[in-house]
Amino acid sequence: MPIPLISPAEKKYIEQGVEEDCRADGRARLEYRHVVLETGILAQASGSARCRLGDSDVLVGVKVEIGEPEQDRPNQGRVICSVECSPSASQQFEGRGADDLNNTLTLAIDRLFNGPQSGLDLEKLCIIPGQQCWILNVDAMIMDAAGNLLDCTVMTTRAALYNTRIPKTDIQDLGDGEVEFELDDDVEDAEPLQGWENLPMSVTLYKIGERYVIDPTILEELCSQVTLTVGVNKDGSVCGIQKGSNGSIDPSLLTEMIQTATVLAKPLIEKLDAKLLEEDKEIDEKRKRGLHIEKLGFFAAVI
């Protein structure tokens, strides 16, 4: 993927602004851009969400299907993640220009949401141990790229998994070790994912000069020497750490950056969860009163 260019004057201006805690768009170093979020916008998906962080725009759909569990984890379901950048999101993504970024984002999302660190109760996704389980196919599409794509994708994926519903299964023992199951087709009886509230949020810090910022714009990303992504759950526990780029981080600064990410993630998770629960409550009340439920298709919940 071709790297966008930035002039020395632009770079110096951004670095000085970060040093003075006043970025080019008026934000402080540790301040997010405007976040807008909506869930349940894809009718054919088991769960979906769309999020706009500044001008970055991500759509995530989750589709559940029945498959075989992994041999080393016969009592657990599976999570399969995939991220793809739309060619219309940026001129740099035309052709095969986004392949490296697709792979990087896919691996990062998979590390965060696939495994015990995700907080999901994967054993609840097992139907028949060693034979059948639920597979969560998480597909993310980058609709517009304007900086901080990883955090925006994690935020959207978390909301889509919250919105995901799993059909009920009825297990019947036929004797002689034979077991079969039936699916309940009633959508109203489908169940949410167990442990969704424990899903982590990522906070990526970008080192610019001797300071660091969160939620950068494209130009700020070009000024960054190194990045540090920290996965944090609602309890403030660190679920994963990943360093990006070729720069180095002093050990004392590394500790400070991890602590900063932990402090920032907790209130962000609380705000997001409150909005998600509020949106679901409003929909349930309209359904009970027989009112028409209209999805805007564009970012209903504003944070």
Side-chain angles (χ1 to χ4, degrees):
M1 182 176 68
I3 301 176
L5 299 178
I6 183 172
S7 69
E10 287 178 307
K11 185 175 181 181
K12 184 176 181 180
Y13 174 74
I14 290 173
E15 289 177 344
Q16 288 179 342
V18 170
E19 180 69 26
E20 298 296 330
D21 199 20
C22 182
R23 294 153 75 174
D25 55 8
R27 289 181 293 150
R29 287 192 292 264
L30 303 181
E31 186 177 347
Y32 280 96
R33 289 172 291 178
H34 193 54
V35 182
V36 203
L37 180 70
E38 185 180 13
T39 61
I41 61 175
L42 298 179
Q44 302 303 317
S46 304
S48 60
R50 189 175 183 179
C51 178
R52 192 176 184 92
L53 180 59
D55 289 330
S56 291
D57 186 357
V58 178
L59 174 67
V60 174
V62 181
K63 193 71 175 178
V64 300
E65 63 179 5
I66 296 176
E68 296 181 358
E70 296 179 351
Q71 293 183 354
D72 57 339
R73 293 186 289 182
N75 297 322
Q76 295 183 2
R78 297 162 55 192
V79 180
I80 300 176
C81 300
S82 174
V83 181
E84 183 176 349
C85 294
S86 171
S88 63
S90 172
Q91 292 182 350
Q92 304 157 38
F93 298 161
E94 295 178 357
R96 302 182 65 86
D99 284 358
D100 290 342
L101 181 59
N102 290 342
N103 293 333
T104 299
L105 291 174
T106 297
L107 289 174
I109 296 296
D110 187 71
R111 289 191 190 105
L112 199 59
F113 291 110
N114 198 357
Q117 73 281 355
S118 71
L120 285 176
D121 190 348
L122 296 179
E123 292 186 359
K124 293 290 186 181
L125 299 178
C126 180
I127 302 173
I128 302 176
Q131 298 182 33
Q132 301 287 337
C133 71
W134 288 109
I135 300 176
L136 305 180
N137 294 291
V138 180
D139 296 306
M141 174 67 74
I142 308 299
M143 309 293 288
D144 201 353
N148 201 21
L149 290 179
L150 177 55
D151 288 358
C152 187
T153 304
V154 170
M155 197 178 298
T156 317
T157 302
R158 192 176 182 278
L161 288 171
Y162 159 79
N163 184 244
T164 299
R165 296 295 182 266
I166 306 292
K168 282 187 176 181
T169 54
D170 182 21
I171 310 297
Q172 297 179 353
D173 188 353
L174 303 179
D176 297 329
E178 294 186 8
V179 180
E180 69 175 17
F181 65 92
E182 294 182 357
L183 293 180
D184 188 346
D185 294 333
D186 191 347
V187 179
E188 298 296 331
D189 291 335
E191 300 174 330
L193 289 174
Q194 297 294 319
W196 73 266
E197 67 278 359
N198 299 319
L199 289 168
M201 183 73 68
S202 71
V203 176
T204 302
L205 302 108
Y206 292 71
K207 186 172 181 288
I208 299 177
E210 298 301 320
R211 305 286 184 173
Y212 53 86
V213 301
I214 62 169
D215 190 24
T217 61
I218 289 289
L219 291 180
E220 288 175 334
E221 286 186 345
L222 296 176
C223 299
S224 173
Q225 305 99 338
V226 63
T227 66
L228 185 71
T229 300
V230 184
V232 184
N233 63 19
K234 66 181 179 64
D235 298 322
S237 301
V238 176
C239 303
I241 300 176
Q242 178 176 321
K243 173 184 168 294
S245 300
N246 298 321
S248 61
I249 304 176
D250 186 83
S252 60
L253 182 61
L254 176 64
T255 302
E256 179 186 330
M257 293 172 75
I258 294 174
Q259 292 175 344
T260 300
T262 304
V263 171
L264 292 173
K266 196 170 181 180
L268 179 61
I269 291 175
E270 290 175 354
K271 289 180 180 179
L272 284 173
D273 287 354
K275 284 293 182 181
L276 293 172
L277 293 170
E278 180 183 341
E279 184 184 28
D280 260 8
K281 185 178 179 181
E282 291 177 356
I283 292 175
D284 288 341
E285 289 179 354
K286 288 183 178 180
R287 185 179 289 115
K288 290 177 181 178
R289 291 187 291 174
L291 300 177
H292 175 64
I293 300 172
E294 181 180 358
K295 282 290 181 180
L296 300 180
F298 249 90
F299 319 125
V302 182
I303 300 173

